[in-house]
Amino acid sequence: SEMCIRDRDTAKHKLEFALKNNIQKIVFIHGVGEGVLKLELAYLFNRYDQIKFYDADYKKYGLGATEVYVFQNKK
């Protein structure tokens, strides 16, 4: 699942949706700009223990995208 986002609140909403619906991978396309949104996303993502995040595939998305992987809870 991939989506363009413009602010941290939208990203948080989409991430919460993914967590509730067992979506394992999301690519947030935030653009390059001055890097402010990317830093805000890193701060947001660091608050979740069940995810890891990294720069998305450069060949596919360019510089302005972050991929999030959600670890599924094992019950």
Side-chain angles (χ1 to χ4, degrees):
S1 178
E2 46 190 72
M3 62 199 66
C4 292
I5 55 164
R6 299 190 188 281
D7 59 72
R8 188 181 60 193
D9 290 339
T10 301
K12 182 176 181 181
H13 175 74
K14 299 295 184 183
L15 181 58
E16 292 289 340
F17 179 84
L19 291 169
K20 289 176 187 172
N21 292 281
N22 296 319
I23 297 170
Q24 197 166 30
K25 185 177 86 168
I26 316 165
V27 177
F28 291 95
I29 302 170
H30 45 73
V32 179
E34 295 178 10
V36 174
L37 181 54
K38 183 176 181 178
L39 288 174
E40 287 182 351
L41 293 180
Y43 178 77
L44 170 67
F45 298 153
N46 275 319
R47 296 167 62 190
Y48 293 84
D49 292 332
Q50 68 270 46
I51 69 170
K52 67 177 179 176
F53 64 97
Y54 37 85
D55 290 341
D57 182 5
Y58 174 76
K59 291 179 184 175
K60 188 170 183 181
Y61 300 103
L63 290 173
T66 299
E67 185 170 318
V68 174
Y69 179 84
V70 179
F71 294 97
Q72 301 303 318
N73 291 333
K74 294 178 181 172
K75 295 182 180 180

